[in-house]
Amino acid sequence: GVQVGEIHLYTVVAEANDKISIRLTELTGDLSLELYNPQRTRLEGSDTGRIDRTLVESGTYTLLVKGYAARTTGKYAVTVDR
């Protein structure tokens, strides 16, 4: 799980033009989800636990999950579909 201020990182290897759907499920608190490209530039963020995007380049993308409110208890699951 993740606590307030804590950060968890995940990587996804993708090809150019892959359409991905990222979901945080089983949420038990307030979590933020961010997607970074292979150069580690932030592409998108979501406080709803959902990102849908077509990736423009091949490489390793990074997903960042962090807790941002006092009531965050940290339980969640990450799913990535193509």
Side-chain angles (χ1 to χ4, degrees):
V2 64
Q3 300 300 315
V4 174
E6 203 173 83
I7 295 173
H8 292 183
L9 300 174
Y10 301 90
T11 57
V12 176
V13 177
E15 299 296 323
N17 299 313
D18 276 357
K19 294 179 182 179
I20 65 166
S21 186
I22 305 164
R23 302 283 180 273
L24 292 181
T25 58
E26 302 173 22
L27 299 176
T28 58
D30 293 319
L31 300 175
S32 175
L33 173 65
E34 297 179 6
L35 176 65
Y36 291 81
N37 71 8
Q39 292 77 33
R40 306 238 170 126
T41 300
R42 186 177 182 270
L43 297 177
E44 190 170 342
S46 171
D47 290 337
T48 64
R50 178 181 183 153
I51 294 177
D52 295 300
R53 189 174 187 99
T54 299
L55 304 176
V56 298
E57 62 184 306
S58 298
T60 302
Y61 288 76
T62 302
L63 308 176
L64 181 147
V65 177
K66 64 182 175 180
Y68 66 87
R71 66 178 180 246
T72 299
T73 59
K75 293 183 180 182
Y76 66 92
V78 176
T79 59
V80 179
D81 294 312
R82 292 184 205 170

